[in-house]
Amino acid sequence: MLLRLLSLASVGLLAAAEILSLSELEWTLRNEKANINVPAQAPSQVHLDLKDANVISEPLLGINDFAQRWIVNETWIYEADLSTFIRQRSHGAQSDRTLLVFYGLDTVANITLAGHPVAWVNNQFQQYVYDVTDFLRAPVNNDTALVISFESAYLYGRNVSMRADVEPQLVIDFEWPGARGFVRKTSSDFGWDWGPGFVPAGVFRPAYLVTLTDKPKEASAHSTPVTHPLLLSDKASGLFIEESTLEIHKLGQNPIVRPDESAPWVVNVSLAVRSMRADTRPTLTISIPELKVTSGPLTLSPIPAASNSSTFISAAFQIPDSVPQRWYPHNLGTPKLYNFTITLSVDGLPPASYIVRSGFRTVYLAQTAYSQEDIEQRGITPGDQWHFEVNGKAFYSLGTNIIPFDPFYARISTDKARWVLESAVKSGQNMLRAWGGGIYQPSDELTGGYDFYSICDELGILVWSEFIFSDETYPINDFFLATVEPEVRQNVRRIKKHPSNVQWAGGNEIEVILLLVNSTIQPVPQRFFDEFELLFVDFLHGIVTQEQTSVAYQDCSTTNGALSLDPYVLRLNNVTAGHIYGNTELYNYDTSQSFNYSTYPVARFVNEFGFISMPSFYSWEEVLESPEDFSFNSTVVVSRDHHPPPTNLSWPNPAAPQGQGQMTLGVEQWLPRPSTSDSNQTFAQWCYSTQIFQSLYMTSEIAYYRRGSGRGENNLGALMWQLNDIWQGVSWSAIEYSGRWKVVQYGLSNIFSPVIVYPFWTPETETLEVAVTSDKWEAVKGSVQLTWYDWSGHALNTSSLSFSVPSLNSTEIHKAVGLDNILPRGSKAEDVWMHVNLTAKVDGQTVTHEQQFVPTSLANSKLVDPKIKVTHKPNLTFTLSARGGVAPFTWIDHPAGTVGYFVDVATGKPLNGFYLIPGQDRTVRFVQSSALSKVAHPAPTDFVVRSLWNNTHL
């Protein structure tokens, strides 16, 4: 962990460190009222330190999101004594300089050191560096404390919003009203429709005291490169690298034009340096040892001797296209990474070398109009393209949306982030959208507390990155833009080294909100459109294009696209009927229409769509405190349903019955209604059934969008909302807060397979269409078997169909109209179902895919007791057998305290929530996360099996 990387052997050695993590100091936390004073930590946040001091209980427990609101309105003061550090620094060289480095402060804070005011800050997303040497040398009245006083971000935002010179904004409030747009802080900290509003405060990311000297000892110079530029800052270097960037692109590349794939690669390194020595001709050397490639010394612009500000330097060199292996998303190739050794040489200082890991790839966002040839020969619907290309080839973007992993950033671990990201890969996802209402995800533990982007690089999963603006308009003035600019520049510079980053979006849903309000609610004053364009078209777009050239920028996550890319002009409402533009989203909570394909958008790319579900009974056990809470509509359960949001501080959410009702209707209309004599089982089955409905709905949408790759819309993207959870409550997630997979996560594993078959049923016309869709870059051939069963498990008839599907396309292989022509002779819809099974050759290997077609609602189907038998085998392996009838959505739960997923022993793919047919046993193995599981060796007997039969039977 990062704390150990920089730890000291003892307190007596405190001042001997050139890099001192502030986590090594003894901190206290007190409120301004002075009635609370407790030990604290850094990095941390107020709620976490109050919990550790037993002032409050775990914030996620019970109704604590309501009971702990008092914390939000207080001013909280963190203090640490630096007397030992100051005393020993006084024995250092007079020329030594000390920097105070914060990689994240949450959010509005006054910083004082040794009685001297250092700074006032108001942006959670910036890093801050201060030369505090003179303050340490002359403490005021012997004050040796570092004090960080955090005022209420909510009250600060409210105060700003009520200034006479601040104009009102269009805003969607979720919980804490009227503040979030006026403070640069994680939007969802103020509450969202899937999570609580704790409005945390604190030193939430790592922070350091860094001492530099102009008398380095050559003997102690780094003989081998360090693993992070921060680690260069010791007495052997005399340097502090405030920012480090690396960007790989094609010669002449421009984000709005397809790159020349045969052109040389350009490797560009930029550094923001504070140096103890001046040099008029410093040099930078870039090496890739694995490729035996080096730039040789590249001459840089002069570096002054300065510790109170940084100097930007940059250098680049070219590599022939054929030399490196390219980085690909995991489902399209190998995510190949290389170690780059960066060596900075400054006169009078030993060479300073560090390693950065990156890869060679091109990405391109196609946004221009389809040609007349495409329209006439390919049957493309007129309008603009909107899809991504990697290394010169279009591909289908399969994925979900990421929200913050926890309400309290400071306790997020790399293990937790890695589990969620690995789960995405295991389910076939190749793209995640880092949602613009959360946080800029970090690149490493040393500066970010946990890792995200580097893991995505390693796993081969693309990231659609967004600036933190969401669901409202923003106050455009010089003060606001002055704090946003360094925030944006710092994060673009940091993230552009990651081959996983695929684009920058200006924010979340703001364009569509303006257009929707203007067209359906009331005319929007022109100033809102003007300010929107100033921020998202001029300001942010300008910064992104200045700072990098390898990825595209778009104004918002849901957009009608651009009329022109150069100059950048938005399309907004300049649309032609019958044409398709930009990307879109869908949220439809009328569950009677969930499987009506005419309600789904015909779109080039769908970046959000979802439906809510309950977490599992096991997740509720983590937070519910009384037996009476374990009920679908108990006060505590309902209080944790924030859909729709209360829009204010009303508690429990007065709008929650609407969300509860939507889940209820989804289950009752499409599944057997849970009702048994055991109240806990009934609650558990309700939780499970809401997840089944969610999975059915989402897989139906995804199959439809993927089928669009072979239709006029040429749909090439489906990103479901959402992947992960921030707490144990009602949400759109596929993975619960603990890391437990929901039913829909296994559903994604199925429907995101590279080659799929799906039965499209239109009940109004009694039409069944079976289509095969492939994301492969080569044509795929195979066969599909259609087998009808009754619910007792008897096969009634079967047929086989051959298919050939072109590259990145879809093919209809079967169509039938009228139930009399579809059902087995003499059968009724409620008595039968069809198993659809695909077999194909892909990359020289046999692959399979399966789906089911039920010609009526499962609520009407005449299910038969499956009499499931479970046979325990070594290594948490289980064979499930149906000794009675068919068990739809057979589900095996792993015990409380464990995190993992189930794989099909036969295929090695994730499997759960499947149809168990008599005579066709399924064997699954539990793959456990040792890093996240609290129970290391669960007993096989603690695993629980259920199916839809258990909705009405014990």
Side-chain angles (χ1 to χ4, degrees), residues 791-793 863-871 879-888 890 916-922 945-950 953-954:
W791 289 110
S792 294
L863 302 182
V864 176
D865 185 355
K867 300 178 181 177
I868 297 174
K869 178 184 178 182
V870 181
T871 303
T879 294
L880 284 72
S881 309
R883 298 302 178 89
V886 176
T890 299
L916 186 62
I917 304 170
Q920 299 180 32
D921 295 355
R922 298 279 189 144
V945 174
R946 68 182 83 244
S947 75
L948 282 182
W949 179 258
N950 300 110
H953 300 80
L954 294 177

Side-chain angles (χ1 to χ4, degrees), residues 4 49 56 124 162 199 248 250 253 283 356 386 411 416 480 606 617 627 721 731 825 844 911 925:
R4 301 277 67 82
D49 289 317
I56 62 172
Q124 183 182 6
M162 291 185 286
V199 200
I248 301 172
K250 286 292 187 173
Q253 185 172 345
T283 64
V356 61
W386 212 99
R411 70 177 178 187
K416 182 166 188 174
F480 178 80
V606 188
F617 188 90
W721 186 271
S731 82
R825 182 172 298 178
L911 181 67
R925 179 171 57 86

Side-chain angles (χ1 to χ4, degrees), residues 248-250 263-266 318-321 324 326 360-362:
I248 301 172
H249 57 86
K250 286 292 187 173
W265 296 102
V266 177
Q318 297 179 21
I319 301 174
D321 171 68
R326 295 199 182 203
F360 294 82
R361 61 89 179 98
T362 64

Side-chain angles (χ1 to χ4, degrees), residues 729-782:
V730 173
S731 82
W732 291 255
S733 76
I735 300 174
E736 299 178 17
Y737 174 76
S738 67
R740 183 182 294 268
W741 287 21
K742 285 185 176 180
V743 175
V744 72
Q745 176 67 5
Y746 289 97
L748 295 179
S749 303
N750 173 286
I751 207 65
F752 280 160
S753 298
V755 184
I756 64 169
V757 61
Y758 195 83
F760 293 89
W761 171 241
T762 306
E764 292 81 7
T765 59
E766 293 189 350
T767 301
L768 175 66
E769 299 168 301
V770 180
V772 174
T773 301
S774 172
D775 294 340
K776 303 301 293 182
W777 280 336
E778 65 278 351
V780 174
K781 295 182 178 180

